[in-house]
Amino acid sequence: MLVYPSGVDVSTSTLRYLSARLRACRQERGTRWRRLSAGRQALLVLAHLRSGHTYAQLAAGFGVGTTTAYRYIAEAIEVLASLAPTLAEAMKTASTKAFVILDGTLLPIDRIAADRPFYFGKHKKHGMNVQVITDPAGRLLWASPALPGAVHDIKAARTHGIIDALEKVDVECWADKGYRGAGGTIRPPYWGRWETLSAGQQAVNRSHAKIRAVVEQAMAALKTWRLLRKLRCSTTRITSLVQAIVTLHLTCSSEV
C-alpha cells in the first residue's frame, strides 16, 4: 500500500486533550511499552474519526499492524465515550437555558436490504437513529445512544426518557412534527396542511421553523467527523462511537 503525508482538520489542543487521556489510561493500566506513543495513538484515532480512514490505511501510515490499529482505536473510543455527558448532566445545563431544541438524525450504515429494522423509509436508506439536544444557539448539549433507523423520533425520545427528563427540569423544548403528541414540555408546530392552517398558525409555524433551524448546525458539526457519514462497523459499536465523537466535538467547541 502506498503511503503519503496527509492532514487532519482538528486543533492541536484536541490532540493534546486526547493524548493526555490516553496517557492517563496507560498509567492506570500499568502499560510499559507500546508501538506508538500516546500522542501518535491520539493522532491515529483522530484520523480515523475525523477523516474516516480505514484500519488498513491507518496501519500502513503509522507502521503498525491492522489489528494493532483496531485495538488502539477501540481503546480510545472506550476512554472518550466514558467522558460523554449523560442525559442528567445535559438536563442540568438545559435548566439554565431559556429553551432547548430536540431533533433526530439518521447515521447511514452499511446494511443489506433484508435488515428491515435499520431501514428508514423517509430517506430510503439504512441507518441508526440518534436524538440530539441543543441550546438556543445550536450548541450541542447531548446526543443519545443509537437505535435502529426504523424507530420513529417520538418513540426514540420516549425510549431514552428525554420527554420525562425535560418535564422534570421544566424546560420548554422545540421539536418538529415527528414529536407530535409527545406531551410534557415538547412544543411541536401546528399539525395540518399549510393551506388549512389559519394565518396565525402559519405565522407560529414559520417562527417555530426559524427557531428549530439552528439544530441543523449541530447536526452538520457532528458530521464533520466523516466517520459518521457512512458507518461500516457493527451496530453494537455505534453508540460508543457517537459518544466518543460528542466528547471530542464538545472539546473542540469549548476552544472557540
Side-chain angles (χ1 to χ4, degrees):
M1 185 177 292
L2 297 176
V3 178
Y4 66 95
S6 184
V8 184
D9 56 340
V10 295
S11 64
T12 54
S13 56
T14 302
L15 177 63
R16 289 195 298 268
Y17 170 81
L18 180 52
S19 299
R21 294 295 181 180
L22 292 175
R23 198 171 293 113
C25 177
R26 292 183 180 193
Q27 291 173 351
E28 183 180 337
R29 295 180 179 181
T31 303
R32 294 187 178 183
W33 182 86
R34 295 278 186 94
R35 283 291 301 275
L36 298 181
S37 66
R40 292 287 287 171
Q41 181 184 357
L43 184 59
L44 181 149
V45 172
L46 291 176
H48 177 66
L49 298 178
R50 189 71 170 189
S51 303
H53 294 321
T54 65
Y55 300 127
Q57 290 171 325
L58 293 168
F62 284 82
V64 296
T66 304
T67 303
T68 301
Y70 174 85
R71 189 171 65 250
Y72 279 170
I73 290 168
E75 179 185 55
I77 287 171
E78 180 184 347
V79 170
L80 290 170
S82 67
L83 300 171
T86 64
L87 181 58
E89 291 168 342
M91 289 300 102
K92 189 178 295 185
T93 304
S95 65
T96 66
K97 309 293 182 181
F99 61 90
V100 295
I101 307 166
L102 171 65
D103 202 1
T105 187
L106 186 77
L107 302 180
I109 60 174
D110 186 15
R111 280 292 179 273
I112 61 175
D115 291 331
R116 300 301 299 178
F118 301 97
Y119 186 76
F120 185 52
K122 181 179 177 182
H123 293 299
K124 294 182 172 58
K125 62 177 67 172
H126 294 84
M128 299 295 284
N129 180 308
V130 173
Q131 299 292 297
V132 171
I133 298 176
T134 72
D135 69 8
R139 290 184 289 264
L140 182 68
L141 298 181
W142 180 75
S144 75
L147 293 174
V151 176
H152 293 286
D153 283 340
I154 188 169
K155 183 177 179 180
R158 286 172 175 156
T159 300
H160 299 309
I162 298 171
I163 300 168
D164 292 338
L166 288 167
E167 188 172 17
K168 186 176 180 179
V169 295
D170 195 26
V171 176
E172 289 201 343
C173 175
W174 266 245
D176 63 24
K177 293 179 182 179
Y179 299 89
R180 185 171 64 98
T185 59
I186 305 292
R187 299 289 178 263
Y190 284 106
W191 178 261
R193 297 177 63 86
W194 183 258
E195 59 272 13
T196 65
L197 299 178
S198 67
Q201 290 173 330
Q202 290 178 358
V204 168
N205 279 10
R206 276 194 291 267
S207 298
H208 198 286
K210 289 178 182 178
I211 291 171
R212 286 190 297 102
V214 297
V215 77
E216 298 301 330
Q217 298 174 16
M219 303 291 195
L222 268 183
K223 290 179 182 179
T224 57
W225 298 87
R226 296 174 186 86
L227 189 70
L228 295 183
R229 297 179 187 177
K230 185 69 171 181
L231 290 158
R232 293 179 172 85
C233 62
S234 167
T235 55
T236 59
R237 296 184 59 230
I238 292 176
T239 291
S240 295
L241 278 171
V242 171
Q243 291 173 338
I245 287 172
V246 166
T247 299
L248 290 172
H249 172 73
L250 294 176
T251 303
C252 294
S253 301
S254 65
E255 299 160 7
V256 179

